[in-house]
Amino acid sequence: MALSSGIFTILTQAGLLQADDIKKANDVATYDRVSVISAIAKVKPELPVRKIMYTLAAFYGIPILDIDAFNLDFMPSGVLSADVIINNKVIPLVKHDKRLKLAVVDPTNKELFDSISFKTGLNIDLILVDESQLERVINQNSSNYFKTIDLDESALEGVEFATDDDKGSTDMVNSGDDDQPIVKFVHKMIFDAVQLGASDVHFEPYEKVYRVRYRIDGVLSEIATPPMTLKDKIAARIKVVSKLDISERRVPQDGRLRLAVSQNQIIDFRVSTLPTAFGEKIVLRILDRKAASLGIEALGFDPDQKKIIVDAVSRPYGMVLVTGPTGSGKTFSLYTCLNMLNDNSRNISTAEEPIEIPLSGINQVAINEKTGLTFGVALRAFLRQDPDVIMVGEIRDYDTAEMAIKAAQTGHLVLSTLHTNDAPSALVRLVSMGVPAYNVGDSILAIVAQRLVRKLCPQCKRLAKMEKVALIEAGFTVEEVNAGWQPYVAVGCYACHNTGYKGRIGIFETMAISDELKRLILLSATSVELANQARKEGVLSLRQSGLNKVRLGVTSLSEIEANTNG
């Protein structure tokens, strides 16, 4: 959602919103992928949705309809495709002569209504409806979202692959490729993945089947099963636009491509090929630039956790570590911290393998161990470049750890990641690498362990009755259980592709290094002893952080239990 939304403007003119309300609502709309009206209702609950509707209706001079009282039998079929209805939250109510009465939630989207008028050849009359009522109607008429997506040629107009220098582009549909169906199929798979918010696209050949899967909110779902005879052509097409060697099928290859959806929106992809027994498997990682610039509020930190991390990265020197398994969002957390620090007064350099997202104003170096450019070599070079802030993609060995610690002790702020299960284990890991315990205690400011969990779909989640004993066994305290709340559970609807979840959020164990923890490090304490001390100091474990989000209705108990240890 954009800050230029007409709803924001109208409500501000009516004196119902302030600038701070707009910023908060915009962040919620962008991160939670909800409508502007839903976002406003969330950040300003004292402003009723009905009041918003009356204000919009008065501004545009359009009626408000209680769609629950409307006879849906009169709805014209075939006027709009299911994906237009679902993605834009509009419903055709009545078609008469050359006019179409269209139920809408946001009457400010003139571009959409002009497009519908052009495609249908009908004049549009807008009718304002309550968003929750409209979603219920759509939900009742859409049992499987994925099956409603058809290849709409017009949707692909203007979508093209951009070159690295952005001075020219290669349009997939009009690139001179003789095999037009393959071009359009690959184009559609990638375009739909972006539209559906997928993080990865998998093209997988097996002995008797070839399938395409999307990873949405951390879960893979099968989307298409093209004929086996097309697997080599599909692989070749992707490798061509990724500038990979199409003749080489025996070794893995890595590449990048950029998808220019419009003049203002470019999507980056990281491409990886892997020779398997039955052909080349290709995985496209979608790199979302917007996610890296949403701000620390969008990551999901509790207030106390946010204070610890903001205080740590505001220090002039020392080290901040982010730990967790692959795919837990460590890189985006570091990018968020870098964006907080990125101004004209600082020299910031990063060493990454690979560079996930280009960041303006930051010197990013791609590690290439084949040429000898390792993390350790890059760090030594950074220290000769007058740095203020250094980000090391990952500490893997003693050489990198030693250089990172040395940089943190000589007046630089160092950000990096480790692969450990929790924050206390990171301290033990560094010592086990050979870093002296006194250096570890003196240089590290804070450690953040994190996981990504799926958020419950706000459209369909429902309360679940659970016994107090079961909640206590899950980790809640007796006081929390007696506070009179119940957890929500996933249900499934059109908005979340029948999964019950939509979007992901972080859960964190954020540990500042206190004097007592430093003392325990010098005594070669185990990770269990360090964890016990952290709990005494009020540091929430990953499980406790997740349970807080269950209590707030953000996610489900089953999701937290699946992603954290008890």
Side-chain angles (χ1 to χ4, degrees):
M1 301 295 177
L3 275 168
S4 58
S5 170
I7 293 179
F8 288 143
T9 303
I10 294 167
L11 296 181
T12 301
Q13 291 174 355
L16 299 176
L17 287 182
Q18 304 299 322
D20 188 51
D21 299 324
I22 294 174
K23 184 182 184 307
K24 290 178 181 177
N26 185 71
D27 289 343
V28 170
T30 303
Y31 189 72
D32 291 353
R33 294 177 185 165
V34 297
S35 71
V36 169
I37 292 178
S38 294
I40 293 171
K42 189 171 183 178
V43 303
K44 196 165 185 179
E46 66 272 20
L47 178 59
V49 172
R50 210 69 185 165
K51 177 71 173 176
I52 297 174
M53 292 178 64
Y54 282 126
T55 304
L56 296 175
F59 184 89
Y60 283 100
I62 60 177
I64 295 177
L65 172 69
D66 181 358
I67 201 169
D68 285 341
F70 183 79
N71 188 348
L72 299 180
D73 292 338
F74 290 108
M75 287 176 58
S77 61
V79 176
L80 299 178
S81 64
D83 56 323
V84 170
I85 291 172
I86 293 171
N87 291 335
N88 298 290
K89 294 185 179 179
V90 297
I91 292 181
L93 294 176
V94 178
K95 177 185 175 186
H96 182 67
D97 292 334
K98 286 292 184 178
R99 307 202 72 83
L100 175 67
K101 294 188 183 298
L102 190 68
V104 302
V105 171
D106 181 358
T108 69
N109 196 346
K110 186 176 184 300
E111 185 178 346
L112 169 66
F113 308 139
D114 288 344
S115 174
I116 292 175
S117 178
F118 177 78
K119 289 180 179 180
T120 61
L122 302 172
N123 295 316
I124 305 297
D125 295 325
L126 300 182
I127 297 177
L128 197 60
V129 297
D130 181 87
E131 183 176 7
S132 60
Q133 291 182 333
L134 181 137
E135 288 174 341
R136 187 163 57 250
V137 170
I138 295 176
N139 193 28
Q140 291 168 351
N141 292 274
S142 176
S143 59
N144 189 325
Y145 180 80
F146 286 125
K147 291 183 179 177
T148 68
I149 301 176
D150 300 318
L151 180 56
D152 183 357
E153 297 290 332
S154 62
L156 301 182
E157 291 178 4
V159 181
E160 55 189 25
F161 283 95
T163 59
D164 290 337
D165 57 10
D166 284 338
K167 294 179 181 178
S169 60
T170 302
D171 189 315
M172 286 194 69
V173 178
N174 302 304
S175 60
D177 195 311
D178 293 332
D179 212 337
Q180 290 293 305
I182 299 298
V183 171
K184 291 178 181 177
F185 175 79
V186 173
H187 200 165
K188 174 179 168 51
M189 289 294 99
I190 297 175
F191 181 78
D192 282 353
V194 173
Q195 295 298 99
L196 292 171
S199 61
D200 302 86
V201 185
H202 292 239
F203 295 86
E204 303 171 310
Y206 296 95
E207 184 176 9
K208 297 181 179 179
V209 67
Y210 184 64
R211 68 179 179 182
V212 181
R213 293 192 292 173
Y214 293 168
R215 187 179 294 278
I216 300 176
D217 296 335
V219 178
L220 281 168
S221 299
E222 184 176 299
I223 300 301
T225 54
M228 284 290 293
T229 54
L230 301 182
K231 64 179 182 179
D232 291 335
K233 293 183 177 180
I234 291 173
R237 183 60 200 172
I238 296 173
K239 290 167 75 173
V240 164
V241 296
S242 305
K243 297 181 173 56
L244 299 177
D245 184 355
I246 62 172
S247 65
E248 180 57 78
R249 302 179 182 178
R250 299 165 299 176
V251 296
Q253 297 186 64
D254 294 306
R256 297 178 74 93
L257 62 87
R258 309 185 77 191
L259 183 68
V261 178
S262 67
Q263 288 184 341
N264 300 320
Q265 184 182 12
I266 295 179
I267 308 295
D268 293 283
F269 296 80
R270 193 172 75 228
V271 183
S272 172
T273 72
L274 179 70
T276 70
F278 303 104
E280 284 184 289
K281 174 180 177 176
I282 299 180
V283 176
L284 277 62
R285 165 65 57 89
I286 301 173
L287 306 175
D288 187 355
R289 295 190 183 199
K290 292 181 181 178
S293 58
L294 286 176
I296 195 167
E297 292 81 7
L299 294 179
F301 286 104
D302 293 338
D304 290 343
Q305 295 174 332
K306 176 185 171 183
K307 184 179 186 304
I308 290 173
I309 192 69
V310 170
D311 287 348
V313 300
S314 299
R315 302 277 287 276
Y317 58 87
M319 179 183 287
V320 177
L321 288 173
V322 182
T323 78
T326 301
S328 60
K330 299 188 300 295
T331 301
F332 280 114
S333 292
L334 290 180
Y335 279 172
T336 300
C337 293
L338 290 177
N339 279 321
M340 290 169 54
L341 300 168
N342 188 13
D343 59 39
N344 291 331
S345 69
R346 291 185 177 94
N347 176 22
I348 303 177
S349 297
T350 73
E352 306 172 58
E353 184 188 13
I355 296 173
E356 294 278 357
I357 296 174
L359 300 175
S360 178
I362 293 177
N363 308 291
Q364 295 173 273
V365 174
I367 296 303
N368 187 341
E369 295 192 358
K370 291 181 180 178
T371 63
L373 182 55
T374 63
F375 283 113
V377 170
L379 266 170
R380 289 184 177 88
F382 288 166
L383 293 176
R384 296 191 289 270
Q385 292 269 314
D386 185 31
D388 296 297
V389 181
I390 296 171
M391 194 268 270
V392 183
E394 183 183 347
I395 295 177
R396 298 176 179 172
D397 50 41
Y398 171 73
D399 184 41
T400 307
E402 181 190 37
M403 287 303 302
I405 292 287
K406 188 175 294 184
Q409 291 178 324
T410 54
H412 310 91
L413 180 64
V414 179
L415 312 178
S416 191
T417 72
L418 270 177
H419 284 286
T420 61
N421 290 327
D422 55 27
S425 298
L427 298 169
V428 177
R429 174 67 60 83
L430 288 173
V431 173
S432 68
M433 282 183 179
V435 179
Y438 56 84
N439 281 343
V440 172
D442 286 343
S443 58
I444 295 180
L445 302 171
I447 303 175
V448 180
Q450 68 179 71
R451 300 289 188 276
L452 288 177
V453 297
R454 293 180 294 171
K455 295 192 294 184
L456 286 164
C457 173
Q459 313 296 344
C460 62
K461 67 179 183 180
R462 63 173 175 82
L463 286 170
K465 275 285 185 182
M466 287 188 67
E467 296 295 331
K468 291 183 178 181
V469 174
L471 293 174
I472 292 172
E473 289 177 350
F476 291 102
T477 65
V478 175
E479 292 77 12
E480 289 172 335
V481 171
N482 290 332
W485 62 275
Q486 285 291 328
Y488 284 88
V489 293
V491 178
C493 67
Y494 79 94
C496 59
H497 322 317
N498 292 318
T499 64
Y501 297 93
K502 188 175 183 182
R504 289 193 290 176
I505 195 168
I507 57 172
F508 304 91
E509 178 184 25
T510 306
M511 186 175 77
I513 306 303
S514 64
D515 290 339
E516 182 59 23
L517 284 171
K518 290 180 182 179
R519 188 183 71 84
L520 289 175
I521 294 168
L522 288 173
L523 294 175
S524 301
T526 66
S527 59
V528 173
E529 291 170 330
L530 292 168
N532 289 337
Q533 177 59 32
R535 301 297 164 261
K536 292 178 183 178
E537 296 177 7
V539 176
L540 298 180
S541 68
L542 286 167
R543 170 60 69 90
Q544 291 169 329
S545 178
L547 293 179
N548 278 348
K549 289 187 168 51
V550 173
R551 192 159 46 86
L552 294 172
V554 176
T555 189
S556 67
L557 182 57
S558 61
E559 182 72 4
I560 296 301
E561 289 178 333
N563 285 278
T564 63
N565 292 326

